[in-house]
Structures are given as C-alpha cells and as structure tokens.
Amino acid sequence: MLDQAAAIGLGEAEDLDWKLDADEVKDNREHAKDFAALANAQGGIIVTGVAENGTGGADTVVGVEDPRARALADRFRGIANSMVRPFIPAFTVYTVPLPSTPGRSVVVVQVPRSPESPHLVPWDKDSWRYPKRVGADTVWLGESEMEAAYRRRFAARRDAEVRLEELAARLDPHLAGEARRVWVVVTAVCSVPAPYDTAPVIDTRSADPGMTEIFRALSESEDASFLRHRLTQLAPRVGLRRTVFTESRPYTGQCDRAYIELHHDGSFAGALQATSALQHGPTLLPRLDFESTVRDLVTAAAVHAHRRGGDGMLQLRATAVTEGGVMALANRGSQYDKQVDGSLAVHPEPALTEAPLQDLAASPTGRRTAATRLLLDLTHQFAVEDLLAP
C-alpha cells in the first residue's frame, strides 16, 4: 500500500500524515499535538519514513534503520501515554519492514476516532490546548467545539451508567435472596467494546480459557481469592452473547455462592455471596470478605475485557445487595473484635469508578487501586473511616 501511495503521489489528508523522520519534529509536544488532533477528529494514521514530493504527496518510501524504527515506536507510545489527556483508546504503533530495502522500516501510528474526545496536550507554560485535524492542517478547538465534545463524552458516560445498572439488574433473578444474605455485585463496560464477531466458540465440556486466565490473575494476589473459593466449576454455560459460570441450585436457576457473566463485547457482570455466619442481630458484612469480593470481581472484569479486545476506559460499578440493611465489620484482630454500631446498618448506594483498561490489564496494582476507590465509596456510607485494611 505504501509503494502504491508513493507511485501515485498520494497527498496528505484529514486522516493521513507523511513524515520523513521524527528528527524533523524535535519537540515532543508537536508529536502529542498530532496524535490528539487525529483522535479529536476522524482518526487516521501518521507514517514516518516517507519522503514527500514538495506538494504534500508521497514520493519515496525510504524508511528508517530498524533499530531506530523500534526506538521511535517506543518513543511515540511514551509520548501518547504521558502527554495526551485523557489516554487515547486503541492507540497503536507498529513498524513495517521494507522488503525492497532490508534493514529499514517505516513507523506507523494508528489513531482511532476517540470516544474520550476531547483530548488535550501541554502547550505553553502551565497551559493545555485542544488540537483537531482539519484537512491536512491542525487547528485548535474553539469554545463551542469544546463544549460539544464534552457534551458527547458526558452523554457516553451516562449511557455507560445505564448499561452498568442493566447488567446488575439482570443478575437479580439468579441470586438467592434469603434473609441475612449479602451479595457483592460488580459490573463493568468498556468505552470501546470488543467486536461480537470475534467471540470464541463455547465448549461446555471443559474449562473456559477466559475464566482460566482470570483465575491465573487471581493467583497473583497476595490475599486469598474469594472468587476462587466460591466458584469451582469453570465449565461455561451458553448465554445470549455471553458465557455464564455458576453453581445453581437444582430446578430453581438460582445460586447461593457465585454468578459470573462474561459478555462477548467485553462487558462483565459478577456477584459473590459474602455474608457473615453469625445468625443474630443485623445482617453482617465482614471487612475482609467485602474487600476480597470487590477486588476479585474487578480483576475478573479487567482481564476479561482485555482478553476480548475491548479498549479505552473500563467503567466499573459495585454495590452490596441484601433484603434488609447491612452492617459492616472491621475484623482486624480476633473474629469480629471491632463491631460497628448496629444503628449504622444501611443499604449501600452503588459506587462508580473508571480507569484505562490497558493499565488495569497490565498491573495488579492498577486493579487494586481501582477496587480500593470503589471500596472507599462503599464503606464510607457506613460512617467508618478505617474500615479498609492498610
């Protein structure tokens, strides 16, 4: 394709930019501006290693030496990660070897139209600006364009919140609802969903590869895995555009331990039962159980979304569901040595957070941080400052 572009002198456009070498742009801010400008418009590609003909058209595909091409790819990724806010979903950089010139490659930056638009970049001292690609040029967004872009982003956030609520509501019929039972429910959606047509074939006779990968990620945790304890059957059940994992009671379709749905578009819905064994007083939710359930479900959501090919921001919703009020326990020493006043039995409101999916998939620390944000919002509803473990 590059050879054909050079043969016909293909010109730059709103979604295409030629560069001979990164040395022609010495300021990293200029690279960041180019990346954000495409993301704020229709998306496109930037190809480094193409000489132009003087009128903005491709003339010769010259490439750069392979070691330098690899270094440039790493540099471009670093600039996009550190200098463009927010992170551009599905931002991709790769090298293309030139068969006609062994030892040389071009570097391709592929920028999608971003659902997280508008993206901003650092410019003058203590200032940030919003670039946008218009034709072959880059301009700065005006006030009305920024307003419209933020309105689209916030509308997408509201749509995601509705989707998260729907996923949680669909779990209700499957969760046994006896008195004194507490379910911890976590749902998640990607701002860039995975394509349905890439979903793997479901084999109900053997352990599911996706759930197996989730369990491997759980084993990296220093804490005991609540999900591993509650869910022992990894063979999936077939659902509508999803796979289901549970150990249901016969004839009822309900479960009393765990219920997990891995949706083909990368979204997730999971519930773990986390009730204290005590049988008197208000319904109790031990701290360690609460923390483990949320962290395990956040890990499962992130690993599944990344494995399916979702991208962008992973939006997460967590809550505790019970028929009555629930009282949290800070069981730090002997069992239930610090019991919260029973008058603080509450119905926890859902907590919401989000984080870049790539960060969550790459780092157990990132997943723990996201889970902790949810836990703080949930536990603060019990009017307790030190409920979470250090």
Side-chain angles (χ1 to χ4, degrees), residues 78-99:
I79 291 171
N81 288 333
S82 63
M83 300 185 70
V84 180
R85 293 289 182 270
F87 173 79
I88 301 174
F91 180 90
T92 307
V93 187
Y94 53 93
T95 60
V96 179
L98 301 179

Side-chain angles (χ1 to χ4, degrees), residues 38 54 139 148 193 220 224 226 277 309 379:
L38 288 173
V139 300
E220 298 171 1
F226 217 81
T379 56

Side-chain angles (χ1 to χ4, degrees), residues 19 42 49 60 63 77 83 143 204 255 301 309 342 357:
K19 295 188 183 299
Q42 300 300 317
T60 309
R77 293 189 193 98
M83 300 185 70
E143 182 180 3
T204 60
C255 62
L357 176 57

